[in-house]
Amino acid sequence: MKLLWCWRCKMDVPMLDDVEFARAKELYSLGFKITTPDRFKPLLDYHNNLTGFHIADDEYNAIMHHQISQYGPECENCGKPYRTSLASFCAACGNKRTM
Ligand SMILES: [Zn+2]
Ligand SMILES: [Zn+2]
C-alpha cells in the first residue's frame, strides 16, 4: 500500500500493491455473485481495514483502479504518478518525461 495521487479521484489515495490488489479483485468479483445489498461490504471492509482510508459504500468501483502497477512512476517535477507506465508526459503538470 502506498499513498499516491489518483487522477480519477483527484486526490491522494492509498494504492494497493499487486498482492493486496489481487485479494481486492477477488472480493470485487465475489460481490457480483451475491445479490444482497451489502454484497460489496467484504471488499470495502478489506480495503478500509488495510488502508485505514474510508471509501464510501457506493464507491467500491474506485478500488479497482487503485493499483500501484496501473500507474507509471512518479513525475520528476510534481511527484504525481504518470497515468500509465508508457505515458510520455505528466498530465498533472505537463512535464515531459525523460525516458
Ligand atoms: Zn481513484
Ligand atoms: Zn508532473
Side-chain angles (χ1 to χ4, degrees):
M1 198 265 284
K2 189 177 173 189
L3 207 64
L4 280 178
W5 171 262
C6 174
W7 57 272
R8 288 190 180 94
C9 297
K10 296 185 177 62
M11 60 180 185
D12 284 329
V13 298
M15 301 262 185
L16 309 185
D17 66 33
D18 288 348
V19 175
E20 295 163 341
F21 189 78
R23 177 73 185 135
K25 210 170 168 186
E26 223 173 83
L27 293 169
Y28 181 73
S29 31
L30 215 66
F32 287 101
K33 295 177 187 144
I34 307 169
T35 50
T36 55
D38 59 352
R39 59 205 182 123
F40 289 107
K41 199 173 180 305
L43 169 65
L44 289 158
D45 284 351
Y46 171 73
H47 173 274
N48 295 347
N49 289 335
L50 181 71
T51 62
F53 182 88
H54 187 80
I55 284 236
D57 288 6
D58 55 351
E59 282 168 15
Y60 57 85
N61 273 314
I63 300 170
M64 289 301 106
H65 68 250
H66 291 163
Q67 180 183 20
I68 297 166
S69 58
Q70 285 180 27
Y71 297 81
E74 286 162 32
C75 168
E76 300 79 9
N77 187 49
C78 70
K80 292 174 180 171
Y82 289 103
R83 289 190 181 186
T84 70
S85 54
L86 296 172
S88 57
F89 69 96
C90 173
C93 75
N95 181 47
K96 211 168 171 325
R97 187 171 169 193
T98 42
M99 300 285 265

